[in-house]
Amino acid sequence: MQMAAFVGSAALGCGEVRARAASARTAPAAGRRTSRRAAAALSMVTSAKPSRKMSTETSPVTLTRFIIEEGMENADLIHLKDMENLMAAIALACKKISSLVARAGLSNLTGLEEGGGSINVQGEEQKKLDVLSNEVLKNALRFSGKMGIMASEEEDKPVLVDELTSGSYIAVFDPLDGSSNIDANIATGTIFGIFEDNAECLTQDWEDRIEERELQCMYGTMQPGTNLVASGYCLYSSACMLVLTFGNGVHGFTLDPTIGEFLLTHYDMKIPEDGKIYSFNEANEANWDPVMRDMLSRWKERGYSSRYIGSMVGDVHRTLMYGGIFGYPGDKKNKTGKLRLLYEAAPMSHIIEQAGGVSTTGTERIMDLNPQAVHQRVPVILGSKNLVNEVVEAYKQAK
Ligand code: FBP
């Protein structure tokens, strides 16, 4: 739900309402009619009864205020108390990464780490901002006092948080998704998921059995999406936006650079059940299986539009807002596709399902998948319920 005022059917932001009110004061009769309505709308915006579901000029709903009130209204969401610190840490890291990304060209932060010599566990050349964003997010989480283990796209294996500042949550994250787009200032993002420690790797006294403990913690990290207690992404684009779920709906917070706060702008986001946009890297089509190739031709026959940024966060965010279908299916070259289950597909599936959409490999619900490795890849097809279910049905028929 966006903060706005309505004149006829047109949604007007504060600025627009003020502008109309000012111009109507000098305009002839017809203008005056609009001014009365615009003025009424303006007073509605400024005098709207503060609600936790809507940020207004006089009552901005910050992320922290939202989590506190969400906790007071939903006693069953037992993790929310801990989420205050955790989300404050993640929000701080995202603000920092947003500013680093925005100033990359000005501060020599574009290009490859060590001129291309730094390769991550996936065999990808790390960008300077991949490495920096990873450090920023790790440190923010480390000092939240809630984190026990962190698994990142940029870390070979899960990182244990030292005793002093550790807690019992597990964070999985892609610190800067879509890094191939950074140097061109195209939308990128951060993806994160939060689990509880279910392998007692953080609670048991391991004495000096370090390796055994590391192994146990590795297991603790590899949990199915259904165990996620919170998931989200932060989009770095024309606006910086944090979209998240605690398992009780999806909410969007836009960074207000004038006060440096994420403010609630999208309460209870719902993905349209249908859509007319497909978002796939069609360059891989020749290697897709017949079901996906047939689906693509069906979408084209129906005159759907193709939109593909090449940053999962950007493509999924648009799909959430407008409806449609996004995917990176498996193909002859990469049987399991490209996207990572633990810190890309599972958190994004949590968000999409909480917004009323569907997320699948084509044959399995992604949230049910038990990761076998931290950097395991998985075919991903997600988005509007009716579009994705049609793909699931097509795979069933193809069996
Ligand atoms: P990283 O940038 O975090 O490695 O993520 C992978 C990614 O960039 C996704 O964001 C995006 O959806 C996909 O790869 C694009 O892949 P391709 O360039 O093969 O279409």
Side-chain angles (χ1 to χ4, degrees), residues 120 122 124 130 153-154 174-181 189 191 280-281 284 308-313 315 326-328 338-340 343-344 377:
N120 69 14
Q122 348 254 337
E124 295 159 345
D130 282 328
E153 177 180 323
E154 304 305 335
D174 179 354
L176 198 57
D177 171 68
S179 48
S180 58
N181 279 326
I191 307 172
F280 291 73
N281 185 344
N284 301 330
Y308 190 71
I309 301 169
S311 293
M312 184 184 193
V313 171
D315 286 315
F326 162 81
Y328 208 108
K338 178 178 181 178
L339 302 172
R340 280 48 62 118
Y343 44 77
E344 289 177 323
R377 298 174 194 266

Side-chain angles (χ1 to χ4, degrees), residues 343-398:
Y343 44 77
E344 289 177 323
M348 287 303 212
S349 301
H350 193 195
I351 295 251
I352 290 294
E353 287 195 1
Q354 280 288 316
V358 173
S359 180
T360 176
T361 62
T363 53
E364 292 172 285
R365 178 187 176 219
I366 286 179
M367 291 282 278
D368 290 337
L369 297 178
N370 252 317
Q372 302 309 308
V374 172
H375 302 288
Q376 170 187 344
R377 298 174 194 266
V378 67
V380 174
I381 298 155
L382 59 77
S384 296
K385 196 168 73 173
N386 299 340
L387 288 182
V388 181
N389 282 341
E390 188 186 357
V391 177
V392 172
E393 197 45 43
Y395 272 108
K396 273 198 198 125
Q397 301 301 327

